[in-house]
Amino acid sequence: MARPAGGIEHVVAARELLRSAKTAAELRRAQAVLFPLDLGLSLEQTARAIGRSVNATCAIRTRFAKIAEGVMEPPRVKTTLRNHALADLEREASILDEVLADAQKGGIVVIPQLKPLMEAKLGKSVALSTIYRMLARHGWRKLAPDTYHPQGDVKRREVWKKNCPKP
């Protein structure tokens, strides 16, 4: 004879998670707790209903109980982990404030010229794409493309425009 499911003290938290679930994993966690308690399903039936093995379902229930009791931290979204970050978000913001002081007053930000300054502040080599992503992360965006190359010859450009055949 199967013993009744434990964890009745976590029903309220599981129902709240069921209402606010944004991912399939969150939904499965809530269902793994609620199905045995509300519907009287066995662990095998619950596992079949949520599409996991019996061992995985048992682990999900145990993990939910530990999180609800405060023994364990809830799982975090991978994008919030920032495992390869060069600096935390506050430090990034302070570095950008220092480096982009002129740009905040309406100046132009040229990323290749910004690269050595960022590398000096961070103390590490930084790819241009990293700087672009850092700027985007902190709300900076490119407003307009350059209309001409900074090292271009204005006179030659005007001559070319005059002599260019019109379609």
Side-chain angles (χ1 to χ4, degrees):
M1 178 179 218
R3 65 175 212 207
I8 196 77
E9 64 274 9
H10 305 300
V11 170
V12 174
R15 285 192 182 127
E16 178 58 36
L17 180 60
L18 189 65
R19 274 191 287 282
S20 65
K22 291 185 172 88
T23 64
E26 290 175 343
L27 184 63
R28 273 192 210 100
R29 277 198 303 274
Q31 290 173 338
V33 173
L34 291 174
F35 284 176
L37 298 172
D38 283 352
L39 303 176
L41 297 179
S42 68
L43 194 57
E44 292 81 12
Q45 292 168 328
T46 301
R48 197 173 319 117
I50 66 171
R52 295 292 181 251
S53 68
V54 174
N55 288 342
T57 303
C58 186
I60 290 170
R61 289 175 52 81
T62 303
R63 198 174 315 118
F64 184 89
K66 287 181 179 179
I67 292 168
E69 293 167 2
V71 176
M72 186 176 177
E73 286 187 32
R76 297 189 322 187
V77 180
K78 188 172 182 176
T79 55
T80 63
L81 295 177
R82 296 181 44 84
N83 291 333
H84 300 286
L86 296 173
D88 60 353
L89 292 174
E90 295 81 21
R91 181 151 183 254
E92 276 184 5
S94 68
I95 289 172
L96 287 175
D97 287 343
E98 291 174 26
V99 174
L100 300 173
D102 293 336
Q104 290 176 344
K105 298 173 192 165
I108 296 173
V109 178
V110 181
I111 303 303
Q113 293 172 1
L114 184 67
K115 186 178 187 285
L117 299 171
M118 294 297 291
E119 288 176 343
K121 295 284 183 185
L122 291 170
K124 298 176 185 174
S125 178
V126 179
L128 284 175
S129 61
T130 302
I131 295 174
Y132 280 109
R133 285 194 321 267
M134 186 184 304
L135 288 168
R137 196 169 29 248
H138 292 279
W140 287 85
R141 59 191 177 93
K142 188 173 184 178
L143 294 177
D146 288 338
T147 55
Y148 60 90
H149 194 279
Q151 296 173 349
D153 187 359
V154 178
K155 292 178 184 174
R156 288 181 67 191
R157 190 177 313 115
E158 291 301 322
V159 169
W160 183 83
K161 282 183 187 177
K162 290 179 183 176
N163 298 330
C164 178
K166 304 286 183 211

